[in-house]
Amino acid sequence: MPSPSGISRVIVVVLDGLRPDAIVRFGLPRLGALLETTAHTLTGQTVEPSTTAAVLASLFTGVRPAVHGIRNEHGMLPSLVKRLTPLPRLLGRYRQPMFGYMRALPFGFRTIGTTLAARLGVRARFEGHDAESILAAARPGLDRTRRGVIYLHWPDADDAGHAHGWMSEGYAQAVRRLDESVGRVLDATGVLHDPETVIMLMADHGGGGTVADDHESDHPDDVTIPIVIGGGQVEPNLLPTGSSPLDVCATIPWLFGIVPPPDWQGSPLRSAFHPAGRREIRQVEVAA
């Protein structure tokens, strides 16, 4: 199926550690309202292991941890030698830049973080410590960037889950602040009515399944995630149960008319978009 016509910008927001049932249980107004106006699922499935490093590696490479080899933060450097087609490099071949806004790194990790991002092809900025401050650092980029991918990573729910336990009062307070930042992005960008922009919000994992303050297990509460897709060309509906970060990865180039590489293991979430206004997609030349 051809991709939507006229998409020039994709905003990807990873809501680290947000369990889908938290949206309803804690009455999150902005995320809750999105369930009426977007294509979404509250029964998405992350990759295993359900660690942030493993999931983000899959989001950025299109393959499962068994292929990319990253299971936690300690395995990141060796995996760079693997013959993969990272999402930012793929986009770069078609002159679609990717910008990343993430929390500030400890002093000793700043160089390695910047180096990893550069090798992947992401123009990264590490500033802030929560959704509000990371978004503040990203606002100039959101305002001026009309082409390419903007990636935001917000750690609030994960931090609170590890500190207080998932679904605790401390966690509830964190996800409410997270919801406020979602609202700020929607208001600042007008993305829900913009036919040229798509926003994709997703969690990397849940938490509190086997262990109250952790998430590295195959328990449903750890591996079930929300995925929400909004924009002027989005058709409000339910995405397939089991949609995953691999599918989010495959959807991003597809929105620009680029065929995902054949070694990627996800499929574009085509049902999220209006059937009218499609365009044919271009075959990508996979690097040897």
Side-chain angles (χ1 to χ4, degrees), residues 17-28 42-43 166-167 171 175 206-207 220-221 224-226:
L18 178 67
R19 271 177 44 171
D21 55 340
I23 297 173
V24 174
R25 183 179 301 187
F26 300 124
L28 305 184
L42 300 183
T43 57
W166 265 260
M167 313 309 281
Y171 181 82
V175 299
D221 287 341
T224 305
I225 60 171

Side-chain angles (χ1 to χ4, degrees), residues 246-260:
L246 298 170
D247 301 319
V248 173
C249 180
T251 303
I252 295 169
W254 177 78
L255 288 169
F256 294 114
I258 304 167
V259 175

Side-chain angles (χ1 to χ4, degrees), residues 102 105-106 108-120 122 124 126:
M102 294 149 278
L105 296 171
F109 291 89
R110 292 175 188 172
T111 299
I112 190 172
T114 303
T115 301
L116 283 170
R119 292 190 66 177
L120 284 171
V122 180
F126 300 93

Side-chain angles (χ1 to χ4, degrees), residues 177-198:
R177 293 192 297 270
L178 197 69
D179 187 68
E180 291 173 0
S181 290
V182 169
R184 292 188 184 101
V185 167
L186 298 178
D187 295 341
T189 61
V191 59
L192 297 182
H193 306 288
D194 182 353
E196 298 181 356
T197 303
V198 171

Side-chain angles (χ1 to χ4, degrees), residues 7-136:
I7 300 297
S8 61
R9 181 175 63 162
V10 178
I11 302 169
V12 180
V13 186
V14 171
L15 309 170
D16 197 328
L18 178 67
R19 271 177 44 171
D21 55 340
I23 297 173
V24 174
R25 183 179 301 187
F26 300 124
L28 305 184
R30 299 309 295 264
L31 284 166
L34 284 178
L35 303 185
E36 302 295 325
T37 60
T38 63
H40 67 276
T41 178
L42 300 183
T43 57
Q45 294 290 300
T46 195
V47 300
E48 295 185 36
S50 53
T51 63
T52 296
V55 179
L56 295 186
S58 290
L59 179 63
F60 276 74
T61 64
V63 297
R64 298 184 184 279
V67 178
H68 61 61
I70 298 173
R71 303 184 68 81
N72 53 53
E73 64 273 14
H74 303 298
M76 297 187 75
L77 281 176
S79 68
L80 288 178
V81 303
K82 290 183 175 292
R83 298 169 68 86
L84 301 173
T85 309
L87 171 63
R89 291 183 189 170
L90 171 63
L91 295 172
R93 295 176 192 169
Y94 292 91
R95 301 185 184 280
Q96 295 290 352
M98 186 168 189
F99 305 89
Y101 299 92
M102 294 149 278
R103 76 188 311 168
L105 296 171
F107 180 77
F109 291 89
R110 292 175 188 172
T111 299
I112 190 172
T114 303
T115 301
L116 283 170
R119 292 190 66 177
L120 284 171
V122 180
R123 305 176 193 180
R125 181 172 179 178
F126 300 93
E127 185 173 334
H129 63 279
D130 59 8
E132 182 178 8
S133 54
I134 294 169
L135 177 56

Side-chain angles (χ1 to χ4, degrees), residues 155-170:
D156 306 51
D158 185 66
D159 286 349
H162 285 297
H164 308 290
W166 265 260
M167 313 309 281
S168 65
E169 180 55 34

